[in-house]
Amino acid sequence: MSACSKLSTASSSLTTHVRTFTCLATTTTTTTRVVPHPPDLVKWVKQQGGFVHQAVKITTLDDNNKGLGLGLGLVAFEDIPKGSDLIVLPNHIPLKFDANDAVLLHLATKVPEELWVMKLGLKLLQERAKVGSFWWSYISNLPETYTVPIFFPGEDIKNLQYAPLLHQINKRCRFLLDFDKEVKNTLQNLKPNHHPFGGQDVDASSLGWAMSAVSSRAFRLHGQKLSDGTRSNVPMMLPLIDMCNHSFDPNARIIQEQDPTDSNMLIKVVAESTIKQNDSLFLNYGPLNNDLLLLDYGFVSDSNPNDCIELRYDGALLDAASMASGVSAPNFSAPAPWQQQILSQLNLVGEAPDLKVILGGAESVDGRLLAALRVLLSGDEESVQKLDLNTLKSLSAEAPLGIATEIASLRTIIALCVIALDHFPTKIMDDEALLKKGVSGSTELAIRFRVQKKYMIVDLMRLLQRTVKSLSSKEANVSQG
């Protein structure tokens, strides 16, 4: 059984004398909250000294914005002018990892930095278990289930059809299963008054719930001022603010301002533009590809400008691509010494090379891959040595080593795109037919994820083909002239 399969079948042990963990996997996109009828979160924020614009309300979202996920969100119930404060949280409302509990601090040291969300997740679990927690009004409004892929059925993890994401999912599942053992070993034989979770059992499922809650809702913002005048970077959960959904064209943004009454920072959400009645409030979560949006937030963004695919820089793969594209090329696996030196500068060869290259995203083509192809396909050492690496890496630098070399480089990249598409066992038409038939929520997310990868590859191929066509016309004009 895989790590993810083991995690999806894990169940939480429940007790009756504390607030229990009921952390369940889900295959639907509907949202239930930790308790059926939680306290009014807007009212709580105001009671704690925060501010909420009178027109901002919590409501259940429909599915008009496909890919953002269903559930609760914030909506303007009347027009809100640009520049208006929408939500203001004083410093004591965000949930941060500031535990002084020795056991919790020990467990936090076992969390790798790349999975910092689990550290804050431990604090969240502690507060969820605690009767009388200051944050109960917030925690009780959190979703009981999440649509992140660590909770997908095994078949739907396979349905993603993309090895780099499968690796990350399995890595997280393996961590949760291992960390579950670490937590159990640490908590066994503790006296109730020393138990950070009130004597309640914590397992991989509840740890997964906490990690998913934090990954999908936490922000990294400025914390206390340091001795050098800068401020620390602190992960925190922002009650109510974290109910704003994501858009790459947001109508609101988060800012931090000095609290006029003390030395702490206020956290604000401000209207970036006029927000019309019945519009949802949107923040930009950052320039994230669909791998991270699905892994951390549980949704996929259609036509995501940051979406990309990962490839491994490999001479044999480049040889296959050049042959498929009809490019007459040297053996990519055996570059000349001067080419080897440039590849070393690009960190594509050497003692500890970084062989991961990207197609798609903001750059369209990984600059290191483009530079390597230009250098290897040129063979003109003198011309190459006249150019700096930034020029060689830039797709906007038009044919820096001549039109013929540029066309050969771009055709090789187009062939890499074809190879990448062929690695998906299903075609776009097949995927779209499955979506029309109706599938479970997790299956739909998995299919939509792979469809967006394929569309991204097709769009990149079309962009490069247009560039090749333009260059070919120029080459023909030059030869005729």
Side-chain angles (χ1 to χ4, degrees), residues 13-88:
S13 299
L14 305 180
T15 58
T16 57
H17 64 284
V18 292
R19 286 180 173 143
T20 57
F21 300 147
T22 53
C23 310
L24 308 174
T26 181
T27 56
T28 70
T29 52
T30 56
T31 301
T32 57
R33 290 185 269 185
V34 166
V35 297
H37 304 289
D40 185 327
L41 188 56
V42 172
K43 182 178 179 181
W44 176 78
V45 168
K46 292 178 178 178
Q47 288 174 340
Q48 300 306 320
F51 167 82
V52 183
H53 193 285
Q54 64 179 11
V56 173
K57 308 292 182 185
I58 300 173
T59 190
T60 301
L61 302 176
D62 58 28
D63 60 356
N64 290 336
N65 294 298
K66 201 72 170 175
L68 291 172
L70 302 175
L72 299 175
L74 300 180
V75 171
F77 274 66
E78 60 185 56
D79 290 356
I80 301 176
K82 177 181 178 179
S84 300
D85 287 347
L86 303 174
I87 304 168
V88 182

Side-chain angles (χ1 to χ4, degrees), residues 39 42 91 101 281 293 309 323 344 394 396 429 432 451 467 475:
V42 172
N91 187 62
D101 183 296
L281 271 56
L293 289 178
I309 58 166
M323 289 178 61
S344 179
S394 174
S396 61
M429 282 177 46
E432 293 183 335
V451 165
T467 306
E475 188 177 40

